[in-house]
Amino acid sequence: MSSGADGSRLERRAVLGSLLHGTCALAAFCAGCGPDWREATVLPPSTDAGACGVTPGSPGEGWVEVKLSEHPALREPGGSVVVRLPEALLDVVVMHTASGCFAAVWHICTHGDCSVSYVPGEALLECPCHGSRFGEDGRVLRGPATRPLHAFPVGRVGDSLWLHRPR
Ligand code: FES
């Protein structure tokens, strides 16, 4: 049984977590809030990389910063960039899928060694080599690829996106 203070803190965390999870508008609003929202992480990050409002954790927990100032194409919905961070073992396509919503998937097709490209008008990624198609969440939409692209949870804090790399 928890003490009153612990119970109250847990209750606040539960409320905060439910407010933050899956809410585009709130995520966009909170992106400019004063305190570092990574400090307020109370729930495990969603594994749905396409969801809005995933609350990033700390770099020590495997979260990697992608500064929007270095990737202006991501500022508008439909924009995408390839982000290569060898030091973080990341080679991903980061997409602005809808207003305030971002997704990131592994850049290399699971069928071979070709780079996939984002087709925002169709909300998918396509491989130029043999035509495989993947959803923004990495799932296979059309072969010959049979395995999904790895999808990375994405959260936004201020003017940065944070991608979670499994450790
Ligand atoms: S390498 Fe991508 S479809 Fe074959």
Side-chain angles (χ1 to χ4, degrees):
M1 184 172 174
S2 60
S3 70
D6 286 344
S8 177
R9 188 169 54 223
L10 290 173
E11 193 170 288
R12 283 197 306 273
R13 287 181 175 186
V15 170
L16 178 60
S18 64
L19 285 173
L20 290 176
H21 187 73
T23 308
C24 280
L26 185 58
F29 172 76
C30 291
C33 296
D36 185 345
W37 280 77
R38 286 169 287 143
E39 301 276 329
T41 299
V42 293
L43 293 175
S46 166
T47 55
D48 179 3
C52 300
V54 174
T55 305
S58 68
E61 296 169 322
W63 290 89
V64 179
E65 184 176 20
V66 175
K67 294 180 179 176
L68 290 173
S69 60
E70 296 174 2
H71 303 285
L74 288 175
R75 293 206 180 275
E76 297 298 324
S80 69
V81 295
V82 174
V83 176
R84 291 191 179 93
L85 297 170
E87 68 278 12
L89 304 177
L90 278 180
D91 185 1
V92 296
V93 180
V94 182
M95 302 159 275
H96 192 161
T97 57
S99 184
C101 300
F102 297 87
V105 297
W106 192 247
H107 181 215
I108 306 301
C109 180
T110 57
H111 179 247
D113 195 24
C114 295
S115 299
V116 298
S117 298
Y118 186 42
V119 186
E122 298 184 52
L124 56 82
L125 298 102
E126 189 166 46
C127 178
C129 291
H130 309 104
S132 288
R133 289 183 158 199
F134 304 88
E136 293 168 335
D137 60 358
R139 72 186 186 284
V140 176
L141 299 177
R142 183 176 79 191
T146 58
R147 290 176 295 125
L149 299 170
H150 183 82
F152 297 79
V154 182
R156 182 175 181 178
V157 177
D159 204 38
S160 290
L161 301 180
W162 289 81
L163 279 55
H164 189 252
R165 181 176 58 78
R167 306 179 73 200

